[in-house]
Amino acid sequence: MPKMSSRLVARPSFEITMSDSRTVFELQDIRRTYQVGSEFVHAIDGLDLQIQDGEFIAVIGTSGSGKSTLMHTLGFMDSPTSGQMSFEGEDVSHIGRAERARLRSTRIGFVFQSFNLLPKLSVLDNVLLPLIYGRQNPTNKKELGLSVLERVGMEHRASHRPSQLSGGERQRVAIARSLVNKPRLILADEPTGNLDTKNRGRIMDLFGSLLDEGITLALVTHDTEVAQYAQRRIRMEDGKIVEDDGR
Amino acid sequence: MNPIVDIYTGASNGLREVWANKVRTLLSMSGIILGVAALVAMVGIVQGMLGNMRASFERSGGVLRLEVYPREAPESQQHIAGISPGMTWRDIVAIEKAIPLADYVTPIVDMSWESFIANGRRERSMLHGVTPDYAGISNRKLDYGRFIADSDIDAKSPVIVVGSYIAGDLFRNIENVVGQQLRVRGQVYTIIGQFEPTASRGFGRSRRGWNYEDRMNYIPATTAMSRYKGDDGVNRIEILASSVEAMPDLMSQINNTLTQTHRGIQDFEIRTQDEQMQELKKLENSFTYSLGGIAGISLIVGGIGIMNVMLASVSERIREIGVRKAIGARGHDIFIQFLAEAVVISILGGLFGLVASVGLLTLAQDLIPQGENISNMPVTAMFYGFLFSSLIGLASGIYPAMRASRLDPIDALRYE
């Protein structure tokens, strides 16, 4: 039965992709509902969104507005309860855990507010971590790692431990880690939330420079200044998009 | 996708984690170390001690030794029992000729207790008539001279090999009594050999042994027959088989041969040391299994220790698991990583345990001086100890690894 329905919903998204190959994400009437006790919480409540190649999107909204759930959905950490979602022209509304993991490891880069580097690994090993799970196993692994570290200006710290770095440096390493798999889309969740003003600017400039390389970028923030760096701003409230200046 | 790459990746991650938490790892593997060390050392010591028992058993011919005793003919043959010549020299000749599986064959012409006289002294001791093969069965060492030879049998020579009791008592001032003469029941014998005393070996050796064996004295069987018995009857036959495998064949061949020489009368019985050997084996098994069982329980306790540490390690690293999943690790990858960690801990523990067991066995060797065989390392026990500890590590890692692999990445990342 579920197979039938997925085939039915796959058709419209396929047609959409055919019409525009530059579409990264296509979301239609996405809902994500959690059950908390006997109550249902609609974290995302009927959301439509298209993300084009090379866009820089900032998602803003108060806490509880559903912006984190949206990021988790876009990052294949979570599946929508209902609605249709396609990624690079493929229907991804009903894919399983393993397929989501594969997409996370090969197509998506994550940057977190608290950096989330593994403290026991060196900077270089942290950066190379996604390659293990991406199953690509390139021959020149080390050079690849060093080149992305160079890209973020951290190659001189390759053998350091994350604890020996400042906050801004850690976030640059985290960005290098998100880049190493050459992802289609980088998702950043409050990437400057733990940084001072100076570092905030440097990180945002770094993100800006990634756009020149054709990477699509979506970040969640409630810092309106940070949101100014983006080309397109989406405001969320109660699980819905209430403002989208890219339209 | 590729299981070998998965396992390699998991194992190297696991090793790194083990290395990063050296103290914790060492503590968690202590149960396995002690378990393996105890298992191997216990089995080694038991095997060593029983090995010594077996060795002394083997020295007296062991399971290879057979004895043929005369007995009453069975009921059904009673009326014709008289046609059997009984146990005689001809039996010996027949066995020697017909049965190559018998390495050594000797009759025992048992003179029992006799008075031995020399230098005006008289001493009671035991006298047996035997053939040269007796030396091969008893395995006793001579201090001086030689044992009875074939030529002595042929010539019915008046020669005697004495035990340390007679040597010490009749010839008090002479260390080497070879060449001396003594009398038994009026017959004069020349001493040709003198046995090494069996007892009091460790303490400065006295020539006068107290062991029963030291009171044994031997003359050629043919001499005993012609001088005392007047016929060629023998009291019993002792035989040493060439190998354990040959025993059943040997026994049936002896039975056939003697049935022939005894004209079909079953007036003899063949006795083996098998029962004694079975007892020894039983003892060995019960020791091995009971001590091995105790050590096995301590290994299981060690496994529970590993599981405990792994569970703690999982909840300590929930966030790390979240990060790994967010950047693309599947549940499967996390499972293998944690399982590999448990296996690495238990394999290292097993190896350390083996090293410790070698130490324990070396120590045991010093503490139990009679345990000459304890130095033999119980390779089988080592193999099973190591295998068992690795399996226990695997088993105790499964549950924690499963918990880690099932964590939801979003919840895991939020975990503080």
Side-chain angles (χ1 to χ4, degrees):
Chain A
M1 285 305 165
K3 216 173 193 173
M4 267 284 267
S5 60
S6 88
R7 208 176 285 152
L8 282 176
V9 296
R11 204 160 288 136
S13 60
F14 184 62
E15 284 161 9
I16 288 162
T17 331
M18 287 303 283
S19 65
D20 188 351
S21 62
R22 283 173 38 85
T23 305
V24 179
F25 260 113
E26 170 77 37
L27 278 65
Q28 281 180 337
D29 196 24
I30 291 292
R31 286 168 208 277
R32 181 68 176 93
T33 311
Y34 299 101
Q35 190 172 5
V36 181
S38 58
E39 272 184 54
F40 288 93
V41 177
H42 303 284
I44 299 181
D45 194 11
L47 179 141
D48 298 304
L49 179 65
Q50 258 199 357
I51 298 176
Q52 303 296 329
D53 208 9
E55 274 192 310
F56 182 2
I57 301 173
V59 181
I60 41 185
T62 55
S63 60
S65 60
K67 59 186 194 305
S68 288
T69 307
L70 175 61
M71 288 308 250
H72 293 148
T73 306
L74 293 177
F76 298 111
M77 302 256 270
D78 198 8
S79 281
T81 314
S82 71
Q84 288 140 40
M85 175 165 143
S86 68
F87 175 68
E88 294 182 327
E90 303 278 338
D91 177 28
V92 290
S93 319
H94 302 279
I95 55 173
R97 283 160 167 258
E99 181 61 10
R100 292 211 309 261
R102 191 189 65 80
L103 287 170
R104 286 202 298 275
S105 70
T106 56
R107 311 303 296 142
I108 306 290
F110 273 105
V111 178
F112 306 93
Q113 177 175 1
S114 48
F115 324 129
N116 280 336
L117 300 172
L118 300 189
K120 280 163 194 156
L121 301 185
S122 71
V123 162
L124 181 62
D125 284 339
N126 262 291
V127 168
L128 295 177
L129 203 57
L131 294 178
I132 295 174
Y133 299 121
R135 302 291 189 284
Q136 286 125 325
N137 219 0
T139 44
N140 53 343
K141 237 174 155 178
K142 198 179 167 189
E143 285 120 72
L144 182 61
L146 286 172
S147 75
V148 289
L149 277 173
E150 197 180 343
R151 178 72 188 76
V152 301
M154 289 298 293
E155 75 280 10
H156 58 296
R157 299 285 210 172
S159 55
H160 286 62
R161 290 293 164 98
S163 58
Q164 296 169 299
L165 307 181
S166 73
E169 287 178 316
R170 286 184 211 186
Q171 196 60 301
R172 276 166 30 209
V173 173
I175 291 169
R177 180 178 65 187
S178 75
L179 285 171
V180 78
N181 268 342
K182 302 188 170 63
R184 183 74 187 269
L185 175 70
I186 288 181
L187 294 168
D189 189 355
E190 300 278 11
T192 57
N194 285 359
L195 301 178
D196 56 29
T197 325
K198 194 182 108 200
N199 274 310
R200 188 177 64 188
R202 290 173 70 176
I203 292 295
M204 292 317 293
D205 286 341
L206 180 56
F207 276 132
S209 71
L210 296 179
L211 292 173
D212 302 339
E213 294 165 23
I215 284 173
T216 308
L217 193 63
L219 64 83
V220 164
T221 184
H222 44 245
D223 185 336
T224 45
E225 259 181 75
V226 167
Q228 293 312 311
Y229 285 89
Q231 306 150 345
R232 177 181 172 192
R233 276 161 296 276
I234 293 170
R235 179 179 298 281
M236 284 189 73
E237 254 171 50
D238 297 328
K240 294 187 180 68
I241 293 175
V242 293
E243 204 182 307
D244 184 349
D245 63 8
R247 289 277 158 108
Chain B
M1 268 147 245
N2 181 348
I4 292 167
V5 173
D6 285 357
I7 287 165
Y8 170 77
T9 307
S12 60
N13 269 331
L15 260 176
R16 185 154 36 199
E17 199 58 40
V18 163
W19 187 244
N21 299 295
K22 287 179 269 295
V23 176
R24 190 180 74 185
T25 304
L26 201 66
L27 285 176
S28 64
M29 63 172 66
S30 59
I32 291 283
I33 296 176
L34 290 176
V36 171
L39 178 82
V40 175
M42 275 177 174
V43 172
I45 289 170
V46 166
Q47 277 182 357
M49 288 193 325
L50 290 163
N52 284 334
M53 286 170 67
R54 189 191 287 260
S56 74
F57 181 67
E58 297 291 347
R59 264 199 300 279
S60 67
V63 282
L64 296 178
R65 183 165 167 162
L66 292 171
E67 289 176 326
V68 186
Y69 282 85
R71 67 157 192 207
E72 288 238 329
E75 200 71 37
S76 58
Q77 293 182 326
Q78 277 295 337
H79 60 291
I80 49 165
I83 66 167
S84 166
M87 207 117 83
T88 65
W89 181 252
R90 276 188 302 262
D91 293 334
I92 309 298
V93 176
I95 291 172
E96 275 180 343
K97 270 193 183 153
I99 310 180
L101 291 176
D103 269 5
Y104 298 103
V105 182
T106 183
I108 304 288
V109 181
D110 193 346
M111 311 299 297
S112 195
W113 294 89
E114 292 288 348
S115 288
F116 292 72
I117 300 158
N119 291 336
R121 291 195 190 89
R122 174 189 288 264
E123 194 59 63
R124 287 184 69 76
S125 210
M126 285 164 79
L127 185 64
H128 279 179
V130 297
T131 59
D133 276 14
Y134 183 81
I137 297 174
S138 76
N139 239 338
R140 291 190 56 196
K141 298 221 161 43
L142 288 161
D143 263 353
Y144 301 105
R146 61 170 176 88
F147 197 69
I148 295 160
D150 284 330
S151 57
D152 298 322
I153 298 293
D154 294 342
K156 300 170 188 164
S157 313
V159 293
I160 188 165
V161 179
V162 295
S164 59
Y165 188 81
I166 284 297
D169 236 52
L170 295 184
F171 307 95
R172 289 194 181 162
N173 304 316
I174 308 170
E175 165 73 18
N176 179 356
V177 300
V178 171
Q180 302 290 325
Q181 293 198 323
L182 53 74
R183 273 189 303 136
V184 181
R185 256 203 248 170
Q187 304 284 345
V188 177
Y189 292 92
T190 304
I191 297 173
I192 54 166
Q194 180 183 346
F195 280 119
E196 176 187 81
T198 54
S200 59
R201 219 170 258 174
F203 313 82
R205 25 193 285 182
S206 87
R207 282 206 309 179
R208 176 166 180 159
W210 295 102
N211 205 310
Y212 153 86
E213 282 185 293
D214 293 319
R215 289 181 173 249
M216 301 292 302
N217 306 281
Y218 300 91
I219 57 174
T222 48
T223 311
M225 287 168 182
S226 67
R227 290 197 172 186
Y228 305 109
K229 294 275 182 181
D231 60 26
D232 64 352
V234 304
N235 296 88
R236 61 174 194 273
I237 304 169
E238 292 192 2
I239 298 159
L240 198 72
S242 55
S243 68
V244 178
E245 293 72 40
M247 294 284 283
D249 284 346
L250 176 59
M251 283 170 74
S252 69
Q253 285 173 16
I254 292 170
N255 193 50
N256 290 344
T257 306
L258 294 189
T259 303
Q260 221 159 28
T261 53
H262 292 215
R263 295 181 187 147
I265 308 298
Q266 295 285 321
D267 57 351
F268 57 89
E269 65 174 323
I270 304 166
R271 295 184 196 166
T272 67
Q273 312 262 46
D274 207 36
E275 266 172 42
Q276 237 183 311
M277 199 58 204
Q278 295 296 333
E279 284 299 310
L280 195 68
K281 270 218 170 101
K282 254 192 222 162
L283 192 70
E284 200 168 33
N285 282 347
S286 66
F287 266 123
T288 305
Y289 290 130
S290 57
L291 292 179
I294 292 169
I297 289 170
S298 72
L299 268 180
I300 289 173
V301 172
I304 293 171
I306 289 187
M307 192 189 284
N308 195 8
V309 166
M310 290 308 299
L311 283 174
S313 164
V314 168
S315 41
E316 199 177 273
R317 285 151 64 195
I318 286 180
R319 221 184 150 79
E320 175 194 326
I321 295 164
V323 173
R324 286 181 186 270
K325 284 199 160 181
I327 61 176
R330 294 166 300 170
H332 172 79
D333 297 312
I334 302 293
F335 180 82
I336 285 183
Q337 181 190 337
F338 278 85
L339 192 65
E341 210 174 305
V343 171
V344 164
I345 289 177
S346 63
I347 284 180
L348 283 179
L351 287 176
F352 288 159
L354 289 184
V355 172
S357 74
V358 172
L360 281 176
L361 284 172
T362 314
L363 202 68
Q365 212 179 336
D366 294 341
L367 292 178
I368 313 169
Q370 68 266 42
E372 315 155 18
N373 283 355
I374 284 180
S375 60
N376 296 343
M377 291 299 161
V379 179
T380 319
M382 285 179 157
F383 174 74
Y384 281 111
F386 185 66
L387 187 76
F388 195 40
S389 68
S390 306
L391 287 179
I392 280 195
L394 194 71
S396 59
I398 285 176
Y399 175 63
M402 222 150 74
R403 276 203 15 180
S405 71
R406 286 187 180 164
L407 283 173
D408 180 71
I410 299 170
D411 293 341
L413 272 175
R414 281 206 192 110
Y415 188 85
E416 291 296 337

